[in-house]
Amino acid sequence: SASVAITVSPVNDAPTIGTSVNVTTPEDTQVGINLTTNANDVDGGTGVGDAGISTYTVQTLPSATAGALFLSDGTTAVVAGSAITPAQAASLIFKPAANFSGGPINFTYITTDGDGADSNVATGAITVTPVNDTPTISVPGAQSVNEDTNLSITGTSVADIDSGTNDVTATLSVTSGTLTLAGTVGAGLAVSNDGTSTVTLVGTTAEINAAIATITYLGNANFHGTDTLQVTINDQGNAGADPGLTGGISNEQASALVGITVNQVNDPPIAAVFNATTPENTTVTVSLSATDPDGGTNTTTDAGLATITITALPPGSQGVLTFADGTTPVVAGTAITPAQAADLRFVPVTNFNGTVNFTFNATDTAGLDSASAAGTVIVSSTNTAPSLDTNTGFSVNEGQPVTLSNISLSVS
């Protein structure tokens, strides 16, 4: 018998990539990518001139609108068609574009052995899952307005990058006044409590922004000091998993503040209407009063109530308005002190009865007059006893008749 020796010469086999890379990451969160997973060189580096897998090459990159691939330092971008080492390929980083979500985002890659043989082309896939983003608010700077005066506030807007055409909720509130929407309130916008201290709007961000383009603030009557406009937006959980940062467990919200300074303005005093009743032929006390809304607190211009002036007296045929002594008449148009005004007298003309009218106003220390106020005294009629007028008398002799003539009886 004889034997034949057969020699099988080594031939370099190209490396292969089995299951491709497939990763998932939340929106705005980078993720590591290992291209060496499932890559294999069947020679194991035993082929002639083949020391095993030598390099990896990303042939096509993920879409730039979706994000970018980087080396492990997170700053050096991977370049399509440029070979990288296995160590580098094992620690790539994918950074999604801001607020991007979607997928799969595909890229292709190969591996090459020491003999220059390329593997099959593998397709990697990246999925970016949506995350609910916190909405944002833009507000103007601090505002200032005079007491009891409307303030138009512009420059307020809300935004939510992932709500799209879905509804969000905005709330506007102050503590010492009211808010009224002066912008355009569209048909699709639901508004609650417009013209109160807290206004709620439900609609798209575009609808809300049209309505709050101008907000009218009015402080409470005579309020002065500091107030704050608070603007809040709640996205009602639009788009993706909620991170639970600023709202409830299923929504995100944001708030912003606008400081409002309400400057004090001198308010006119308020004269109080006066009414009294007195019987005929009886003097009555007339106590006139007024209040100053500032209470004398606006010390730069107004230290409180200064004078009261009778602007129109009753006719003399009805009686006389006097000071407390009951004899010194009050002069129309002449200012008197609040103490004097609180202790006047009205002396009716004898046997007069009826309604007596006069007017007066008050003036503060800054010279600001109140509106005119009315004073009324009702003099009621009383039953007056009759009187008998007698003549001067006459004489007659005893036992002699006398004739009486021109006799009259007067009753008053």
Side-chain angles (χ1 to χ4, degrees), residues 139-158:
V139 293
Q143 306 286 300
S144 179
V145 66
N146 287 337
E147 174 186 326
D148 299 322
T149 303
N150 284 335
L151 169 66
S152 292
I153 302 175
T154 59
T156 302
S157 63
V158 298

Side-chain angles (χ1 to χ4, degrees), residues 212-272:
I212 66 175
T214 302
I215 304 165
T216 301
Y217 167 82
L218 178 62
N220 295 333
N222 297 318
F223 168 76
H224 55 272
T226 300
D227 205 347
T228 301
L229 167 63
Q230 178 169 320
V231 183
T232 301
I233 176 175
N234 186 296
D235 66 10
Q236 301 194 41
N238 283 305
D242 191 84
L245 299 176
T246 57
I249 59 174
S250 62
N251 55 70
E252 293 295 299
Q253 75 178 32
S255 294
L257 304 176
V258 180
I260 302 173
T261 299
V262 181
N263 305 311
Q264 186 175 17
V265 174
N266 185 26
D267 294 288
I270 301 170

Side-chain angles (χ1 to χ4, degrees), residues 49 146 155 161 169 189:
N146 287 337
I161 195 167
T169 299
L189 184 67

Side-chain angles (χ1 to χ4, degrees), residues 136-140 151-159 168-173 179-186 189-191 194 199-217 229-233 256 258:
T136 58
I137 302 173
S138 295
V139 293
L151 169 66
S152 292
I153 302 175
T154 59
T156 302
S157 63
V158 298
V168 298
T169 299
T171 303
L172 314 174
S173 64
L179 298 170
T180 303
L181 302 177
T184 303
V185 178
L189 184 67
V191 178
D194 192 19
V199 183
T200 303
L201 307 90
V202 180
T204 65
T205 55
E207 290 169 333
I208 291 173
N209 286 335
I212 66 175
T214 302
I215 304 165
T216 301
Y217 167 82
L229 167 63
Q230 178 169 320
V231 183
T232 301
I233 176 175
V258 180

Side-chain angles (χ1 to χ4, degrees), residues 31-409:
V31 62
I33 294 178
N34 183 358
L35 299 184
T36 66
T37 302
N38 298 323
N40 183 50
D41 186 357
V42 70
D43 303 298
T46 61
V48 176
D50 175 12
I53 292 176
S54 175
T55 61
Y56 287 81
T57 303
V58 176
Q59 293 186 319
T60 58
L61 292 168
S63 168
T65 58
L69 275 175
F70 295 90
L71 299 182
S72 61
D73 61 6
T75 57
T76 305
V78 173
V79 178
S82 294
I84 57 177
T85 68
Q88 290 173 319
S91 56
L92 299 182
I93 293 174
F94 175 74
K95 292 183 178 181
N99 297 311
F100 171 82
S101 64
I105 307 151
N106 295 323
F107 63 97
T108 60
Y109 62 101
I110 62 172
T111 183
T112 304
D113 67 15
D115 275 347
D118 294 333
S119 71
N120 57 298
V121 177
T123 300
I126 305 168
T127 300
V128 180
T129 57
V131 173
N132 187 17
D133 292 277
T134 301
T136 58
I137 302 173
S138 295
V139 293
Q143 306 286 300
S144 179
V145 66
N146 287 337
E147 174 186 326
D148 299 322
T149 303
N150 284 335
L151 169 66
S152 292
I153 302 175
T154 59
T156 302
S157 63
V158 298
D160 184 30
I161 195 167
D162 46 23
S163 65
T165 57
N166 295 324
D167 285 349
V168 298
T169 299
T171 303
L172 314 174
S173 64
V174 292
T175 56
S176 301
T178 60
L179 298 170
T180 303
L181 302 177
T184 303
V185 178
L189 184 67
V191 178
S192 302
N193 302 318
D194 192 19
T196 70
S197 61
T198 302
V199 183
T200 303
L201 307 90
V202 180
T204 65
T205 55
E207 290 169 333
I208 291 173
N209 286 335
I212 66 175
T214 302
I215 304 165
T216 301
Y217 167 82
L218 178 62
N220 295 333
N222 297 318
F223 168 76
H224 55 272
T226 300
D227 205 347
T228 301
L229 167 63
Q230 178 169 320
V231 183
T232 301
I233 176 175
N234 186 296
D235 66 10
Q236 301 194 41
N238 283 305
D242 191 84
L245 299 176
T246 57
I249 59 174
S250 62
N251 55 70
E252 293 295 299
Q253 75 178 32
S255 294
L257 304 176
V258 180
I260 302 173
T261 299
V262 181
N263 305 311
Q264 186 175 17
V265 174
N266 185 26
D267 294 288
I270 301 170
V273 173
F274 175 79
N275 291 288
T277 300
T278 187
E280 183 180 316
N281 300 322
T282 303
T283 297
V284 62
T285 298
V286 175
S287 182
L288 305 183
S289 63
T291 57
D292 188 350
D294 303 300
T297 59
N298 193 359
T299 55
T300 56
T301 58
D302 175 14
L305 193 64
T307 60
I308 290 178
T309 302
I310 310 300
T311 53
L313 290 167
S317 59
Q318 296 179 336
V320 180
L321 190 63
T322 73
F323 288 95
D325 60 9
T327 57
T328 305
V330 173
V331 178
T334 300
I336 59 178
T337 68
Q340 290 174 315
D343 196 24
L344 301 179
R345 303 289 186 272
F346 177 71
V347 183
V349 169
T350 301
N351 296 324
F352 168 79
N353 60 77
T355 300
V356 178
N357 295 311
F358 59 93
T359 59
F360 64 100
N361 64 22
T363 304
D364 66 17
T365 57
L368 196 59
D369 293 332
S370 72
S372 181
T376 303
V377 177
I378 297 177
V379 180
S380 58
S381 175
T382 59
N383 186 16
T384 306
S387 61
L388 177 64
D389 292 332
T390 60
N391 57 22
T392 58
F394 53 86
S395 63
V396 61
N397 291 329
E398 180 181 346
Q400 298 297 312
V402 64
T403 299
L404 301 178
S405 61
N406 297 323
I407 299 300
S408 65
L409 183 66

